Amino acid sequence: MLRTDRVYVAGHRGMVGSAICRALARDGFENVVTRTHRELDLLDPVAVREFYAAEKPDVAIIAAARVGGIGANSAENAKFLYENEMIAMNTVWGAAEAGVRRLLFLGSTCIYPRMAPQPIPESALLTGELEKTNEGYALAKISGLKLCEFLRRDRGLLYHSLMPTNLYGPGDNYDIVHGHVLPTMIRKFETARVSNEPIVHLWGSGSPLREFLHVDDLASACLFVLGLDNPPDLVNAGTGREVTIRQLAEMIRAATGCRAEIDWDRAKPDGTPRKLCDTRLIRSLGWEPKIRLEDGIRRTIDEYRAELARGTIRL
Ligand code: GDP
């Protein structure tokens, strides 16, 4: 990818897309193309085709998706499958038809089987059953990455994919019911601290293990793989460090300064027991994360407080 390239970032208002836009701006890319959801409906294949024909980007980064935490996904697998499948097919196929030279498709490590070996290598793809709570999302992302792989093989297009582990950072969704665990915990502990509530209710047993990557590290991983002449079809991006949900809760409670007790609601799902990605491939190519979880959490809490004060938070 060259600094003079015209780069389309799909989903530039989301947490991932906005981090990628910040990284592109920092690296001197001045020709970045974006469209808001209102301007371009990525579920509409005709609109997407017309957009590509008019804008003719050289490179596309597909960071648009319907995302949500375990609550949102498990309640609406159909919607997560349909919308993400449409977004993937329209943005990737549309790019190929319009002659977009290079494309990076973003997914998530939930594409891997529930009982994949840990840490999960890229080779675990399609070797077993998926986790049921986010099966729709995972199936759509698998289709998208396969479409990139097929287009690269069939037509020689440099289309490839990157699968990040659980992400967090500025611009996250802080919805209590639909959000991911880390932002939701920040909101719950902050709310309890401010209003002096004695108990914070969290979900599941607290024993599942998760890995968390700051979105600015993810953005650097995206630009890194886009700079490779011969990138892998599929590469994981993570920190290689995991914590239990209980440890995460203790870290966030301490970082917010909240004193509330934690109540674990075991009627809520735990989801997959462990989800640590094998990051040897991307590290061997020369990328590594820079933001420690403790520092990232502190930064994110500061940004949450600032966003809340400004009234720009997504709740
Ligand atoms: P996942 O990583 O795809 O399973 O999705 P999440 O980011 O929603 O993380 C879910 C894990 O955090 C599960 O083990 C939940 O039981 C646990 N968890 C604990 N409290 C909460 C909470 O308040 N919200 C969410 N979304 N998950 C929670």
Side-chain angles (χ1 to χ4, degrees), residues 11-297:
H12 72 290
R13 281 193 166 168
M15 175 173 71
V16 171
S18 55
I20 290 171
C21 287
R22 288 195 299 276
L24 285 168
R26 204 176 39 233
D27 281 6
F29 288 84
E30 285 176 358
N31 213 347
V32 175
V33 182
T34 57
R35 287 290 184 282
T36 62
H37 196 156
R38 193 176 306 171
E39 290 163 348
L40 176 62
D41 179 6
L42 297 176
L43 302 185
D44 177 350
V46 176
V48 173
R49 215 161 40 224
E50 285 171 0
F51 159 75
Y52 276 126
E55 289 292 342
K56 297 192 180 29
D58 302 297
V59 178
I61 304 175
I62 310 304
R66 157 82 54 191
V67 297
I70 195 166
N73 266 278
S74 53
E76 289 192 287
N77 264 296
K79 187 168 84 179
F80 278 82
L81 171 58
Y82 172 71
E83 293 194 7
N84 288 304
E85 188 77 36
M86 294 299 279
I87 293 170
M89 295 300 113
N90 293 340
T91 56
V92 177
W93 184 259
E97 292 288 281
V100 173
R101 193 183 78 232
R102 185 160 190 164
L103 181 144
L104 179 67
F105 181 72
L106 292 172
S108 145
T109 51
C110 72
I111 58 159
Y112 295 117
R114 174 181 162 81
M115 289 306 172
Q118 305 281 334
I120 312 171
E122 289 82 357
S123 59
L125 183 69
L126 293 172
T127 56
E129 285 206 24
L130 296 166
E131 157 65 29
K132 292 287 175 219
T133 50
N134 51 32
E135 195 175 13
Y137 180 86
L139 284 167
K141 289 297 182 182
I142 292 171
S143 304
L145 78 89
K146 280 288 169 189
L147 184 57
C148 292
E149 189 183 313
F150 298 154
L151 284 165
R152 188 172 181 180
R153 203 172 63 200
D154 298 348
R155 301 192 189 178
L157 291 167
L158 201 44
Y159 288 16
H160 52 116
S161 305
L162 184 140
M163 298 299 131
T165 190
N166 292 33
L167 298 169
Y168 70 100
D172 211 337
N173 175 4
Y174 287 91
D175 184 299
I176 294 281
V177 179
H178 298 106
H180 285 105
V181 58
L182 195 151
T184 306
M185 281 186 182
I186 290 181
R187 180 165 173 199
K188 286 182 176 176
F189 283 115
E190 265 295 275
T191 308
R193 181 184 66 82
V194 169
S195 46
N196 250 319
E197 287 163 20
I199 295 175
V200 162
H201 301 278
L202 299 178
W203 295 357
S205 63
S207 58
L209 287 154
R210 292 289 185 276
E211 176 190 18
F212 297 93
L213 180 70
H214 192 280
V215 73
D216 286 344
D217 272 335
L218 168 71
S220 91
C222 291
L223 298 203
F224 171 77
V225 293
L226 279 165
L228 299 174
D229 290 337
N230 188 20
D233 282 332
L234 170 63
V235 65
N236 293 337
T239 61
R241 171 183 172 197
E242 58 188 341
V243 293
T244 64
I245 294 295
R246 189 179 297 273
Q247 286 169 328
L248 179 74
E250 297 295 351
M251 287 166 81
I252 295 176
R253 178 167 65 177
T256 55
C258 176
R259 291 159 178 272
E261 296 291 319
I262 300 170
D263 166 59
W264 294 97
D265 179 356
R266 285 161 200 268
K268 291 280 196 298
D270 265 346
T272 194
R274 200 175 168 201
K275 196 166 52 170
L276 175 67
C277 68
D278 186 335
T279 54
R280 277 176 302 178
L281 178 57
I282 195 163
R283 282 176 189 269
S284 75
L285 295 167
W287 175 84
E288 60 175 36
K290 299 232 160 17
I291 304 169
R292 278 178 64 235
L293 181 57
E294 289 78 358
D295 300 332
I297 286 176

